[in-house]
């Protein structure tokens, strides 16, 4: 089993999602000793956001004259999409920043959304090419967005579900810790609930494989 472990929080050792992704990966490895894990830390090794020149490595942009540093970015785009395609399971740390995903994670997502590699266009519209993968998202929010009056402000989990669905991945599970900014007691309760959910989620993965 090939596992791609992505962290994107800027909070370092205080990050809830880093704690949760580490727990998810540990559970996967405990029940799947043959699992091979590839990790990318998008905060420590930041992926540059798309420019016309960078995107030209896998899109038709009209750009054709590239510097040596842009050619290196093209190589990085290829490595990122190759890692993504090779993975069977993805474990993604996705904190909510200002109602959406972190800019670090968005930059990575923009690199792996490649026509002809992860999706294609057809007469009936776009079709995802990545079916069969499992995605676990470690989600952390300062408030409460899963239900209640702020539910319509969730552009984090809803975006990730739509993005991976576009690539053909419909097996996506969220391990969610909410209330992180509501005081230590509420924060700890949210983290505990999330960690309790990991066991059953990974057990389901093991049963599926």
């Amino acid at each position: 089993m090939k596992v791609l472990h992505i962290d994107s929080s800027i909070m370092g050792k205080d990050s809830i999602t880093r704690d949760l992704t580490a727990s998810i990966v540990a559970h996967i490895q405990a029940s799947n000793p043959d699992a091979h894990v590839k990790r990318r830390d998008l905060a420590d090794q930041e992926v540059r956001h798309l420019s016309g020149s960078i995107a030209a490595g896998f899109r038709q942009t009209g750009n054709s004259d590239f510097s040596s540093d842009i050619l290196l970015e093209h190589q990085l785009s290829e490595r990122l999409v190759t890692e993504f395609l090779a993975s069977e399971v993805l474990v993604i740390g996705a904190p909510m920043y200002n109602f959406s995903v972190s800019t670090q994670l968005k930059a990575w997502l923009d690199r792996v959304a490649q026509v002809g590699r992860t999706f294609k266009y057809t007469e009936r519209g776009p079709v995802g090419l990545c079916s069969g993968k499992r995605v676990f998202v470690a989600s952390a929010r300062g408030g409460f967005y899963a239900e209640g009056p702020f539910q319509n402000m969730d552009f984090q989990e809803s975006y990730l579900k739509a993005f991976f669905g576009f690539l053909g991945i419909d097996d996506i599970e969220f391990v969610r810790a909410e209330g992180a900014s509501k005081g230590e007691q509420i924060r700890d309760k949210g983290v505990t609930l999330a960690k309790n959910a990991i066991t059953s989620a990974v057990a389901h993965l093991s049963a599926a494989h």
Side-chain angles (χ1 to χ4, degrees):
M1 180 188 299
K2 292 185 178 179
V3 180
L4 182 57
H5 175 186
I6 301 291
D7 278 318
S8 68
S9 170
I10 62 173
M11 298 303 292
K13 63 181 179 59
D14 295 322
S15 167
I16 292 174
T17 59
R18 287 174 181 273
D19 184 21
L20 293 177
T21 59
S23 294
I24 294 170
V25 170
H27 276 74
I28 291 173
Q29 291 177 311
S31 54
N32 300 272
D34 63 334
H36 174 76
V37 180
K38 167 68 178 180
R39 181 171 181 264
R40 275 199 176 270
D41 188 326
L42 302 177
D44 285 349
Q45 295 179 307
E46 191 171 338
V47 174
R48 287 174 60 180
H49 287 283
L50 286 184
S51 63
S53 296
I54 292 175
F58 56 90
R59 293 184 185 179
Q60 296 297 320
T61 66
N63 294 3
S64 58
D65 187 17
F66 306 119
S67 63
S68 58
D69 68 313
I70 293 299
L71 290 174
L72 289 175
E73 290 296 332
H74 292 177
Q75 294 173 20
L76 176 60
S77 296
E78 177 61 27
R79 286 199 302 274
L80 294 175
V81 75
T82 297
E83 288 173 358
F84 178 82
L85 289 170
S87 67
E88 299 169 79
V89 178
L90 291 99
V91 179
I92 299 175
M96 175 186 276
Y97 294 160
N98 298 315
F99 314 113
S100 187
V101 298
S102 69
T103 185
Q104 289 81 7
L105 182 56
K106 179 62 166 61
W108 178 80
L109 295 169
D110 286 341
R111 297 289 189 109
V112 300
Q114 296 191 19
V115 65
R117 304 293 297 282
T118 54
F119 71 98
K120 66 180 179 180
Y121 293 113
T122 72
E123 293 180 353
R124 296 186 177 182
V127 174
L129 300 175
C130 302
S131 62
K133 298 183 186 297
R134 292 286 309 277
V135 177
F136 296 93
V137 176
S139 169
R141 290 108 167 264
F144 296 91
Y145 298 87
E147 55 186 24
F150 297 108
Q151 189 173 10
N152 65 344
M153 297 178 73
D154 170 19
F155 302 101
Q156 170 218 18
E157 291 186 10
S158 59
Y159 166 67
L160 291 171
K161 185 176 181 179
F163 178 88
F164 287 115
F166 182 81
L167 301 187
I169 304 171
D170 55 13
D171 198 344
I172 177 169
E173 187 156 356
F174 292 91
V175 176
R176 182 185 304 116
E178 293 198 299
S181 66
K182 304 300 183 184
E184 184 176 355
Q185 185 175 0
I186 294 176
R187 179 187 188 276
D188 290 347
K189 180 180 179 181
V191 172
T192 298
L193 289 172
K195 287 192 172 181
N196 288 342
I198 291 173
T199 303
S200 59
V202 173
H204 175 55
L205 171 69
S206 300
H209 283 74

